Amino acid sequence: MDDIEEKLIGKLYNIPFKKRPFQEIAKSLDMTEEEVISRIEKLTDEGKIRRLGGLIAHRAIGITANAMCMWNVPEDKVEEIGKLMASFDEVTHCYERKNPWGYNIFTMVHSYEREECKEIIERISKATGITDYSIMFSDRELKKV
Amino acid sequence: MNLDETDKKILATIQTGIPLVSNPFFVIGGMLGISEEDVIRRLKKLKWDGALRRVGATLNKSELGKEGTLVAMKVPEEKIDSVAEIINSYDEVTHNYVRSSVDGKVDFNLWFTITGTKERILQVIEEIKEKVDEDYPLLNLPANKTFKIGVKFDIR
């Protein structure tokens, strides 16, 4: 990443709530609005920027239940089942992780109530046929950046 | 927090992304049937009220030479706060939760994520162990594969 890209990315952390936000950013970097937009396009195409959008403070708006569900999926099905679990809207994160408990896929499910998280997880279980799983709810948030 | 239907629509729309055009808030207003001014005014208020953390770029850490990991620790209940203080003092630690198992199968209770280069992650873990200075079980659980990172919520 070159110098200009690094500076631009620094400015893109918080996009100003102005009618021409990219023009505002361009001014502060001595660039043109067109240049800012085309560089964002390039950074997005290259995969350096994952997305440009709003990050919701989900706890603040009532989405306070947060379940980490660990699944024991047959090794030869991890790819297929991982993709299927990821396709659920309620699943925000889905990873393959090795651990001593024998679970190999970890999913995060967020909702308004713990019971709803459990229902969603039951739906995932039915859809995938994976019945060996364990849920851990978050009792306290100690840090979130 | 008091969100009206329009606020909720704005949050639902903006979490999927903002259009990469010179006047993105005008375009969003058009999609929702409200004015550009109203979108901007509401976004400011949503941010001020704490419903919206920010609007901006989320970077792909692997493209930037960074990785992430999940670390699980088993800490006595009464030590959680002091251990968390050590863990949270690292900027590389991005999330930290106290978790409990529904079925009791897993008894690790402190779960945190670290972002950084591979070397830095291992260094942070070693430093945390040294500073905590107790033999609390600790497991580093890096992802072998990422199927999804896409935080989109059902906003009601």
Side-chain angles (χ1 to χ4, degrees):
Chain A
M1 201 175 309
D2 63 28
D3 260 14
I4 299 169
E5 283 183 344
E6 270 195 37
K7 278 186 191 150
L8 175 60
I9 278 181
K11 295 281 178 190
L12 289 175
Y13 189 76
N14 264 306
I15 290 171
F17 297 147
K18 298 276 174 66
K19 290 190 177 185
R20 303 283 289 270
F22 303 116
Q23 191 180 60
E24 293 282 323
I25 291 170
K27 272 189 220 157
S28 71
L29 296 173
D30 210 12
M31 292 164 76
T32 65
E33 186 183 32
E34 293 73 28
E35 204 181 339
V36 164
I37 290 176
S38 70
R39 279 193 180 258
I40 298 172
E41 256 166 15
K42 180 167 164 275
L43 287 164
T44 308
D45 288 345
E46 290 168 352
K48 289 173 184 160
I49 293 178
R50 188 193 302 285
R51 56 188 287 273
L52 196 69
L55 273 91
I56 311 292
H58 56 277
R59 282 179 181 258
I61 63 165
I63 305 173
T64 52
N66 156 343
M68 182 175 76
C69 190
M70 300 170 286
W71 306 83
N72 180 1
V73 177
E75 271 317 311
D76 59 330
K77 290 210 156 179
V78 165
E79 187 73 27
E80 179 195 335
I81 303 276
K83 283 182 186 158
L84 186 52
M85 288 181 175
S87 73
F88 278 75
D89 282 344
E90 296 93 341
V91 171
T92 56
H93 299 73
C94 183
Y95 301 97
E96 181 191 6
R97 299 185 190 276
K98 295 266 182 291
N99 58 81
W101 305 293
Y103 300 110
N104 47 4
I105 294 187
F106 282 51
T107 56
M108 293 296 316
V109 173
H110 292 84
S111 198
Y112 292 80
E113 305 279 347
R114 287 189 175 195
E115 278 312 308
E116 278 182 295
C117 288
K118 286 185 183 170
E119 284 163 25
I120 294 160
I121 288 164
E122 273 168 32
R123 272 200 281 124
I124 297 171
S125 175
K126 283 212 178 83
T128 56
I130 306 298
T131 52
D132 181 8
Y133 63 84
S134 186
I135 304 171
M136 294 192 83
F137 282 110
S138 71
D139 298 323
R140 270 207 288 158
E141 184 177 82
L142 302 170
K143 185 174 188 180
K144 180 165 168 72
V145 176
Chain B
M1 190 173 302
N2 256 333
L3 302 177
D4 66 18
E5 289 311 308
T6 306
D7 289 333
K8 290 176 192 170
K9 278 187 200 158
I10 288 180
L11 290 176
T13 304
I14 205 140
Q15 70 173 342
T16 68
I18 66 167
L20 196 50
V21 293
S22 63
N23 52 356
F25 304 122
F26 176 83
V27 174
I28 291 170
M31 289 159 67
L32 302 178
I34 57 176
S35 70
E36 181 179 36
E37 289 77 10
D38 201 15
V39 173
I40 290 173
R41 186 182 61 78
R42 285 172 182 269
L43 283 173
K44 285 181 183 164
K45 182 162 189 309
L46 288 165
K47 183 143 185 233
W48 177 257
D49 288 345
L52 188 60
R53 285 163 61 201
R54 62 182 176 91
V55 176
T58 303
L59 305 182
N60 187 346
K61 56 179 178 286
S62 62
E63 285 294 323
L64 305 166
K66 290 185 177 180
E67 300 183 14
T69 194
L70 176 69
V71 180
M73 250 179 120
K74 193 168 149 183
V75 179
E77 198 64 38
E78 68 278 10
K79 298 286 184 192
I80 285 178
D81 288 310
S82 58
V83 171
E85 200 177 320
I86 293 168
I87 294 168
N88 294 353
S89 71
Y90 287 90
D91 287 341
E92 292 86 351
V93 171
T94 52
H95 300 74
N96 188 2
Y97 293 96
V98 178
R99 291 189 183 277
S100 55
S101 173
V102 169
D103 53 27
K105 282 184 196 158
V106 175
D107 59 359
F108 280 59
N109 53 354
L110 207 51
W111 294 77
F112 56 97
T113 54
I114 311 177
T115 298
T117 60
K118 196 176 247 172
E119 296 71 29
R120 182 61 187 153
I121 288 173
L122 296 176
Q123 193 183 9
V124 168
I125 291 174
E126 282 315 307
E127 285 183 24
I128 288 171
K129 280 189 192 166
E130 268 171 41
K131 288 183 189 170
V132 170
D133 198 26
E134 297 277 355
D135 284 328
Y136 301 144
L138 181 150
L139 289 168
N140 180 17
L141 310 168
N144 298 52
K145 188 168 173 126
T146 301
F147 290 104
K148 185 179 191 179
I149 311 173
V151 186
K152 254 182 238 169
F153 298 102
D154 165 24
I155 294 164
R156 292 178 201 160

